[in-house]
């Protein structure tokens, strides 16, 4: 027999309390015995019954498990690349405190929800760079997220193809082919100044990679801070205005059987994104064999209850009048 819940300290404390209380019970009868005749045999019978069901209660509490068996535990996980737009427009403050600061806050919460998955980080604007390869190390990933700022990449417009192509190449070269679920979280305000997304969407879909787009911004838009002023539009001489463009983000999500989510003045859908990622079926990343057994506490508990009922319903007279 082995014990599923070997809390010996609690068992010993309860046993001590029982012994103390029953000792006081016996002392009481010894005092009564001075004046009345006590049936010692019947008193001993009650002591045996009560000691038996209390001992059975303690055994049930300890969680007895009879027999030993082995069970194989499989560990499942997913591969997720997070691609974050670091163009100047992500400094806009239509989403407080700014689009990028809000994204950093949400990413910290998001990564905590996937402790058994490999997550990588790609940053991009006009070019894409691998900031952190796929890793299980959440502390390293958090450091990279904390350091995100628009000065990390060249800013000559936003090209959404770059991070998608980089993630695709990494997935194709990955030797962990047993991972079933491969996905990309594409975070941007959607203003795409690169090539169209038709070609890359088909390649991602063929590999089974889903893109979950997260649009950040508002339809009304905002100016783009730069130093003590704002970015100016050279064609009009007026402050440049950046607005959320949902169309390219929805397009790439649709082409890869993914889904579009949004952080704006109308929607806060990061929770929905997390729920959708959790529904993805992960692949087997490893397995281990552990000892397992069925807890048999119920049988001991059943016998203890039966003896308790006997003690309550069929009292044994211990005093002879």
């Amino acid at each position: 027999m082995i014990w599923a819940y070997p809390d010996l300290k609690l068992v010993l404390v309860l046993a001590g309390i029982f012994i103390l209380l029953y000792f006081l019970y016996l002392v009481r009868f010894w005092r009564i015995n001075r004046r009345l005749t006590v049936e010692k045999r019947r008193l001993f019978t009650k002591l045996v019954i009560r000691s038996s069901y209390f001992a059975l209660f303690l055994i049930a509490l300890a969680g007895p498990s009879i027999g030993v068996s082995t069970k194989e535990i499989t560990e499942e996980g997913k591969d997720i690349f997070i691609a974050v737009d670091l163009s100047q427009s992500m400094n806009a403050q239509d989403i407080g405190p700014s689009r990028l600061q809000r994204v950093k806050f949400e990413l910290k919460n998001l990564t905590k929800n996937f402790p058994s998955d490999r997550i990588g980080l790609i940053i991009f604007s006009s070019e894409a760079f691998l900031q952190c390869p796929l890793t299980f190390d959440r502390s390293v990933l958090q450091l990279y997220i904390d350091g995100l700022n628009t000065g990390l990449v060249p800013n000559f417009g936003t090209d959404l193809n770059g991070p998608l192509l980089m993630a695709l190449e990494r997935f194709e070269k990955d030797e962990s082919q047993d991972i079933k679920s491969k996905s990309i979280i594409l975070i941007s305000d959607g203003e795409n100044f690169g090539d169209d997304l038709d070609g890359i969407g088909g390649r991602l879909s063929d590999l089974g990679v889903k893109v979950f787009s997260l649009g950040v911004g508002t339809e009304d838009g905002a100016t783009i801070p730069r130093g003590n002023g704002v970015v100016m539009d050279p064609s009009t001489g007026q402050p440049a205005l950046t607005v959320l463009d949902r169309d390219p983000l929805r397009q790439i999500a649709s082409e890869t059987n993914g889904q579009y989510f949004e952080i704006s003045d109308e929607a806060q859908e990061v929770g929905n994104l997390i729920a959708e990622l959790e529904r993805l079926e992960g692949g087997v990343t490893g397995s281990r064999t552990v000892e397992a057994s069925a807890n048999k506490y119920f049988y001991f508990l059943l016998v203890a209850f039966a003896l308790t009922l006997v003690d309550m319903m069929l009292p044994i007279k211990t005093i002879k009048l």
Side-chain angles (χ1 to χ4, degrees), residues 69-136:
S69 61
T70 58
K71 182 178 181 181
E72 185 177 9
I73 304 297
T74 58
E75 299 174 347
E76 295 186 352
K78 301 181 282 289
D79 279 355
I80 304 172
F81 264 117
I82 301 174
V84 183
D85 184 356
L86 293 184
S87 60
Q88 291 292 331
S89 60
M90 291 297 288
N91 288 326
Q93 298 176 351
D94 51 348
I95 301 296
S98 72
R99 294 177 181 177
L100 181 56
Q101 291 301 319
R102 178 61 180 275
V103 166
K104 291 167 65 173
F105 172 79
E106 297 291 356
L107 283 182
K108 291 181 181 180
N109 294 329
L110 184 147
T111 54
K112 291 178 182 178
N113 283 273
F114 303 97
S116 62
D117 301 324
R118 296 196 304 173
I119 300 179
L121 182 64
I122 296 174
I123 57 176
F124 70 96
S125 181
S126 53
E127 298 180 48
F129 301 88
L130 181 65
Q131 189 77 342
C132 179
L134 291 168
T135 180
F136 292 106

Side-chain angles (χ1 to χ4, degrees), residues 195-215:
D195 298 332
D196 60 56
L197 301 173
D198 294 335
I200 188 65
R203 293 178 60 186
L204 289 167
S205 182
D206 291 342
L207 193 63
V209 179
K210 293 185 177 183
V211 177
F212 296 93
S213 302
L214 181 63

Side-chain angles (χ1 to χ4, degrees), residues 14-246:
L14 293 176
I17 293 174
F18 172 77
I19 293 172
L20 176 61
L21 294 177
Y22 215 83
F23 175 77
L24 296 175
Y25 173 78
L26 294 176
V27 169
R28 174 175 173 267
F29 268 93
W30 177 77
R31 290 178 177 176
I32 295 174
N33 190 38
R34 292 179 176 181
R35 300 177 181 178
L36 303 174
T37 302
V38 177
E39 291 286 345
K40 295 181 175 59
R41 183 179 298 177
R42 294 178 180 178
L43 181 63
F44 178 75
T45 302
K46 290 183 70 68
L47 176 62
V48 170
I49 292 176
R50 292 178 179 178
S51 298
S52 298
Y53 67 67
F54 190 82
L56 290 171
F57 279 132
L58 291 180
I59 294 173
L61 179 65
S65 300
I66 301 173
V68 179
S69 61
T70 58
K71 182 178 181 181
E72 185 177 9
I73 304 297
T74 58
E75 299 174 347
E76 295 186 352
K78 301 181 282 289
D79 279 355
I80 304 172
F81 264 117
I82 301 174
V84 183
D85 184 356
L86 293 184
S87 60
Q88 291 292 331
S89 60
M90 291 297 288
N91 288 326
Q93 298 176 351
D94 51 348
I95 301 296
S98 72
R99 294 177 181 177
L100 181 56
Q101 291 301 319
R102 178 61 180 275
V103 166
K104 291 167 65 173
F105 172 79
E106 297 291 356
L107 283 182
K108 291 181 181 180
N109 294 329
L110 184 147
T111 54
K112 291 178 182 178
N113 283 273
F114 303 97
S116 62
D117 301 324
R118 296 196 304 173
I119 300 179
L121 182 64
I122 296 174
I123 57 176
F124 70 96
S125 181
S126 53
E127 298 180 48
F129 301 88
L130 181 65
Q131 189 77 342
C132 179
L134 291 168
T135 180
F136 292 106
D137 193 335
R138 292 297 177 267
S139 59
V140 170
L141 190 62
Q142 292 291 341
L143 287 175
Y144 281 114
I145 292 174
D146 287 334
L148 292 178
N149 65 83
T150 55
L152 293 176
V153 293
N155 270 278
F156 302 104
T158 304
D159 183 4
L160 297 179
N161 279 278
L164 298 175
L165 181 60
M166 177 171 287
L168 175 63
E169 291 174 349
R170 292 284 171 170
F171 283 141
E172 289 176 337
K173 295 178 181 178
D174 184 26
E175 297 179 356
S176 303
Q177 297 301 323
D178 52 347
I179 301 291
K180 296 179 182 178
S181 174
K182 302 178 186 292
S183 55
I184 302 171
I185 303 174
L186 180 62
I187 304 175
S188 175
D189 52 28
E191 294 180 321
N192 183 32
F193 297 96
D195 298 332
D196 60 56
L197 301 173
D198 294 335
I200 188 65
R203 293 178 60 186
L204 289 167
S205 182
D206 291 342
L207 193 63
V209 179
K210 293 185 177 183
V211 177
F212 296 93
S213 302
L214 181 63
V216 185
T218 62
E219 290 184 350
D220 295 335
T223 56
I224 305 171
R226 175 184 289 175
N228 294 326
V230 296
V231 175
M232 304 299 292
D233 187 343
S235 62
T236 63
Q238 299 295 320
L241 193 67
T242 173
V243 299
L244 173 62
D245 185 1
R246 300 182 178 92

